């Protein structure tokens, strides 16, 4: 019995010793982690030294670099990609801005630029907008651009990367956004999109470069109507008809030659 008792005590003592060693190792590991984090967050090795821009074509690299210049020499571990992404979208005309960090000190920015869909006259020049009615840029002319001009609305104080603000009737923007979304595939063959406000109802007159006028009411701004528009235009052109009005506000399209 005494021998057995001694062996049991030995096993118990050994177990206690192992538990003590495990706690010591854990404390040591935590200490080393803290030291490593302190070194990483204070070391110049992990400072931001470079910004790489990808996916841009019309937005110069310099605009992104200037915007993010305040992050240079900041510690990589102190930089938050999500905040940088939001900052870029607030200032530059991009739909998306994906930001990643590459150790030891590089910010990688991949953007998806807003696509120019139409132009709105403003102070002798033009405001270029995307299908969501965000301002992409402002310029004096439309040289080299095959996009329609939006008329019948007056915008105020356009700001790049911000939605347009329409004087008096901001609610027309929602209808315009729908129209631009569905007209995007055929923008190069359009000359004008005119909005007319009669007795509180917004109507749309869409003009093609080859002489067609398409009439729609705000309630007609659905995908089916625009698919029908393309089908009717194709049919008329194949039949050698190149001018006239297509009324899509009825149950069936009505064509009237000019």
């Amino acid at each position: 019995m005494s021998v057995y008792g001694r062996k049991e005590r030995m096993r118990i003592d050994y177990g206690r010793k192992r538990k003590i060693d495990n706690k010591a190792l854990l404390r040591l590991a935590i200490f080393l982690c803290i030291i490593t984090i302190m070194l990483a967050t204070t070391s110049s090795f992990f400072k931001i030294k470079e910004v790489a821009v990808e996916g841009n074509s019309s937005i110069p690299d310099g605009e992104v670099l200037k915007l993010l210049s305040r992050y240079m020499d900041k510690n990589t571990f102190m930089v938050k990609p999500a905040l940088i992404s939001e900052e870029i979208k607030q200032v530059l005309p991009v739909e998306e801005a994906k930001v990643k960090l590459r150790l030891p000190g590089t910010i990688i920015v991949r953007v998806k630029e807003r696509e120019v869909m139409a132009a709105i006259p403003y102070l002798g020049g033009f405001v270029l907008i995307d299908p969501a009615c965000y301002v992409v840029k402002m310029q004096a002319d439309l040289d080299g651009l095959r996009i329609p001009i939006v008329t019948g609305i007056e915008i105020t104080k356009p700001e790049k990367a911000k939605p347009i603000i329409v004087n008096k009737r901001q609610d027309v923007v929602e209808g315009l956004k729908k129209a631009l979304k569905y007209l995007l595939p055929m923008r190069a063959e359009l000359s004008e999109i005119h909005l007319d406000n009669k007795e509180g109802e917004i109507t749309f007159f869409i003009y093609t470069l080859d002489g067609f006028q398409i009439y729609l009411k705000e309630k007609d701004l659905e995908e089916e109507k625009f698919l029908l528009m393309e089908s009717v235009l194709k049919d008329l052109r194949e039949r050698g008809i190149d001018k006239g009005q297509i009324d899509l506000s009825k149950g069936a399209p009505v064509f009237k030659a000019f």
Side-chain angles (χ1 to χ4, degrees):
M1 290 294 292
S2 60
V3 174
Y4 175 78
R6 282 199 299 273
K7 287 183 178 180
E8 183 65 25
R9 283 195 298 273
M10 289 175 65
R11 283 197 295 270
I12 293 172
D13 292 342
Y14 175 75
R16 287 176 179 172
K17 182 178 180 181
R18 185 171 58 187
K19 288 180 181 179
I20 293 171
D21 289 343
N22 286 344
K23 289 181 180 180
L25 288 172
L26 180 60
R27 285 196 295 269
L28 177 61
I30 293 172
F31 175 75
L32 291 175
C33 285
I34 293 172
I35 295 298
T36 301
I37 292 171
M38 290 177 64
L39 289 173
T41 54
T42 57
S43 173
S44 60
F45 181 71
F46 290 103
K47 286 186 177 180
I48 299 295
K49 297 296 183 184
E50 181 184 3
V51 176
V53 186
E54 301 174 353
N56 58 315
S57 57
S58 62
I59 299 174
D61 287 0
E63 286 194 34
V64 183
L65 299 178
K66 182 179 179 181
L67 180 61
L68 302 186
S69 60
R70 65 189 185 89
Y71 290 98
M72 301 304 288
D73 289 330
K74 284 194 174 183
N75 190 279
T76 306
F77 296 99
M78 298 291 108
V79 173
K80 296 181 179 180
L83 293 180
I84 296 177
S85 175
E86 287 303 313
E87 184 177 350
I88 292 171
K89 287 190 288 186
Q90 287 295 316
V91 178
L92 300 178
V94 298
E95 289 185 45
E96 295 179 356
K98 295 182 179 179
V99 179
K100 295 182 180 179
L101 300 176
R102 183 171 65 199
L103 296 177
T106 301
I107 298 176
I108 301 175
V109 180
R110 182 165 188 80
V111 298
K112 180 182 178 183
E113 297 180 346
R114 292 190 178 278
E115 191 172 8
V116 174
M117 167 62 203
I120 303 176
Y122 181 74
L123 296 181
F126 295 93
V127 175
L128 307 187
I129 61 172
D130 77 338
C133 290
Y134 275 76
V135 176
V136 178
K137 64 171 70 172
M138 289 164 274
Q139 57 189 50
D141 54 55
L142 298 179
D143 287 349
L145 288 175
R146 296 187 63 183
I147 56 175
I149 296 174
V150 178
T151 59
I153 61 173
E154 181 183 344
I155 60 174
T156 61
K157 297 180 180 179
E159 292 184 63
K160 189 165 67 173
K162 301 289 192 298
I164 60 171
I165 299 175
V166 176
N167 189 23
K168 297 180 181 178
R169 287 295 306 270
Q170 185 64 20
D171 58 315
V172 305
V173 174
E174 289 306 311
L176 179 59
K177 284 163 64 174
K178 284 185 179 181
L180 295 181
K181 173 185 175 182
Y182 297 125
L183 290 171
L184 180 60
M186 55 185 301
R187 62 182 169 177
E189 58 185 277
L190 302 179
S191 62
E192 182 182 353
I193 301 170
H194 179 73
L195 282 70
D196 193 13
N197 180 20
K198 290 182 178 179
E199 300 178 356
E201 183 180 27
I202 304 298
T203 56
F204 287 76
F205 292 89
I206 300 165
Y207 297 86
T208 69
L209 291 170
D210 58 352
F212 288 102
Q213 179 197 78
I214 299 96
Y215 174 71
L216 290 158
K217 293 184 179 179
E218 192 170 11
K219 65 179 179 59
D220 301 315
L221 300 176
E222 301 295 339
E223 185 177 15
E224 292 77 11
K225 287 285 186 179
F226 288 89
L227 292 174
L228 179 60
M229 177 197 305
E230 292 185 51
S231 177
V232 172
L233 284 171
K234 181 181 177 182
D235 179 64
L236 291 172
R237 288 164 178 162
E238 288 177 349
R239 290 160 54 189
I241 301 173
D242 57 2
K243 290 181 181 179
Q245 184 189 70
I246 305 169
D247 186 349
L248 295 179
S249 66
K250 313 295 183 183
V254 177
F255 176 72
K256 181 170 65 175
F258 290 153

